[in-house]
Amino acid sequence: MWQDKRVWITGASSGIGEALAKALAQKKANLVLSARNREALKALKERLPRSTQHQMVPLDLSQSEQLLTTLPSILQELGKIDVVINNGGVSQRGLFVDTTFSAYRQLMEVNYFGTIAIIKAVLPQMMANRQGTIVAISSVAGKVGSKYRSGYSASKFAVVGFMDCLRAELADSGVHCLTICPGSIKTKIAHNSLNEQGVAQNKPEHSIENGMDVDQCARLIIRAIEKRKDEIVIGKGLSYWAPTIKRFFPSLFNRITAKVHYR
């Protein structure tokens, strides 16, 4: 299903986005690669098979109002988008009482409003064509909450809720909506997580370092798209089982999260 399909990936310069780009390029998809780091995008593009078939659209998800203005003309040049994977985002590590309000706003701008702006831009053409796939990478933190992640979790809960609503609205449109909720995946997300002042903490985290391999995560995402799933959780260990535990044993889950101190 992927050959010559145009797939737009945000947050493509590293982590899950980079792994998806490599895997989909192998399947002969034509990629649109987006992230803030132009040089990282260029380096990735040059490493991919059929590199001349891929395009770069550097963008900053924190500037959602600007995206609403600039993306329509960019999409006219790109042409039809078959799949958009909203992967770009930023995490957080910090107690609520210590975290600045601006950090909370930054998390919502990137993780939620940035995703909304991308979907706003691409959805009209998908609806007109009565086909297409919208993928939003939320998080297990968008299903359950834990310490030190109140801003991140809130933004990812917002993505899950938005996608539930959008899926219902588009049920008869031919457009497929898929929500991905990864748990602990081996990426640089912990290094890039915002601290209480809204600055990257630049340090590793045990649960992430021992998480699922990012290439395996990418394969599971691609399989979910192919099978037209509505929502999937990806991960291993507690990060995978957390939503199930919360659903069936909420008091137990709350006791567990109160005792966990990793950040």
Side-chain angles (χ1 to χ4, degrees), residues 8 10 16 20 83-88 111-112 115-116 118-119 133-139 155-156 158-164 166-167 176-182 221 225 229-232 234:
W8 185 9
T10 68
I16 294 173
L20 284 167
V83 180
V84 59
I85 303 177
N86 294 279
N87 169 73
N111 296 343
Y112 180 66
T115 294
I116 298 301
I118 297 291
I119 296 174
T133 297
I134 295 170
V135 182
I137 309 293
S138 179
S139 171
S155 67
K156 292 299 189 176
V159 170
V160 170
F162 167 78
M163 288 295 288
D164 284 349
L166 188 65
R167 186 179 300 110
H176 170 218
C177 295
L178 167 62
T179 308
I180 306 291
C181 297
I221 292 171
I225 296 171
K229 297 285 189 179
D230 291 336
E231 179 180 293
I232 63 166
I234 296 175

Side-chain angles (χ1 to χ4, degrees), residues 246-257:
K246 173 70 172 178
R247 179 181 178 184
F248 292 104
F249 307 100
S251 295
L252 172 62
F253 180 84
N254 292 338
R255 290 197 298 271
I256 291 172
T257 55

Side-chain angles (χ1 to χ4, degrees), residues 51-157:
S51 62
T52 58
Q53 299 299 311
H54 311 309
Q55 298 164 285
M56 298 189 311
V57 179
L59 54 79
D60 185 350
L61 290 174
S62 70
Q63 303 299 315
S64 56
E65 294 287 345
Q66 181 179 337
L67 292 176
L68 290 173
T69 302
T70 59
L71 285 179
S73 60
I74 291 173
L75 283 172
Q76 282 188 339
E77 295 180 11
L78 291 174
K80 178 186 172 187
I81 301 294
D82 297 290
V83 180
V84 59
I85 303 177
N86 294 279
N87 169 73
V90 62
S91 191
Q92 172 218 12
R93 303 292 185 269
L95 291 171
F96 169 74
V97 70
D98 299 323
T99 302
T100 63
F101 187 80
S102 61
Y104 280 91
R105 187 177 294 278
Q106 185 177 350
L107 288 157
M108 289 298 295
E109 284 290 350
V110 174
N111 296 343
Y112 180 66
F113 288 113
T115 294
I116 298 301
I118 297 291
I119 296 174
K120 265 288 188 185
V122 78
L123 182 58
Q125 62 164 258
M126 288 186 174
M127 293 182 69
N129 294 324
R130 294 195 61 81
Q131 62 179 8
T133 297
I134 295 170
V135 182
I137 309 293
S138 179
S139 171
V140 166
K143 305 292 287 184
V144 300
S146 63
K147 288 181 179 178
Y148 309 113
R149 290 158 179 76
S150 55
Y152 177 66
S153 191
S155 67
K156 292 299 189 176
F157 264 82

